[in-house]
Amino acid sequence: MSADWVLHGNSCYKVIDTPTANWSDARTTCKNLGGDLPIMRSQGENNFTLELIKKQKTVTFYGAWLGLYRDSSAGDAFYWIDGTPLAGQFSAWASGEPNHVQKKCVHMYAASDNIGKWNDKECSLS
């Protein structure tokens, strides 16, 4: 493991300090580096990921994309990128979220009143 990857539990994390407007572009970048977007299984993982995001030179309002998406072919339920359904598992939705079925992707706020909380969002911020 190179020095720019950080071990936490059974996962390695690398934060790329380049804001990426599209969920699919962010995922492609992660995959090209041998990883993927983060999956949160616990509050501890959520907190750890937030702390990594906050150490970036550029901390944006929208924080970072998560490896969570709304699957229209499965009744618009949320699934992690490894195929695990979100239902019945840990979640950290901001108050009132998720709130729009047309918003298919999820990010974690890093610079707002909802810091560390999740929000469903269109898959492109541009």
Side-chain angles (χ1 to χ4, degrees), residues 37-110:
L37 293 171
I39 295 173
M40 309 295 168
R41 303 278 190 225
S42 68
Q43 185 64 55
E45 282 180 320
N46 203 70
N47 293 347
F48 178 80
T49 303
L50 175 61
E51 290 308 310
L52 287 178
I53 294 167
K54 287 170 35 181
K55 289 178 184 175
Q56 295 180 103
K57 290 177 188 158
T58 307
V59 179
T60 67
F61 176 82
Y62 291 110
W65 292 113
L66 301 181
L68 185 62
Y69 66 95
R70 191 187 300 267
D71 188 343
S72 357
S73 66
D76 289 317
F78 285 95
Y79 283 83
W80 291 107
I81 50 178
D82 67 357
T84 306
L86 178 63
Q89 305 298 318
F90 167 78
S91 67
W93 293 110
S95 179
E97 300 298 339
N99 62 352
H100 292 290
V101 76
Q102 71 271 22
K103 295 179 179 178
K104 304 292 184 194
C105 294
V106 179
H107 71 93
M108 176 192 290
Y109 286 114

Side-chain angles (χ1 to χ4, degrees), residues 60-61 109-116:
T60 67
F61 176 82
Y109 286 114
S112 75
D113 292 343
N114 289 311
I115 191 165

Side-chain angles (χ1 to χ4, degrees), residues 5 13-20 26 29-31 33 56 58:
W5 288 84
Y13 295 78
K14 178 179 177 125
V15 175
I16 302 156
D17 198 4
T18 305
T20 306
T29 298
C30 291
K31 290 179 132 194
L33 294 168
Q56 295 180 103
T58 307

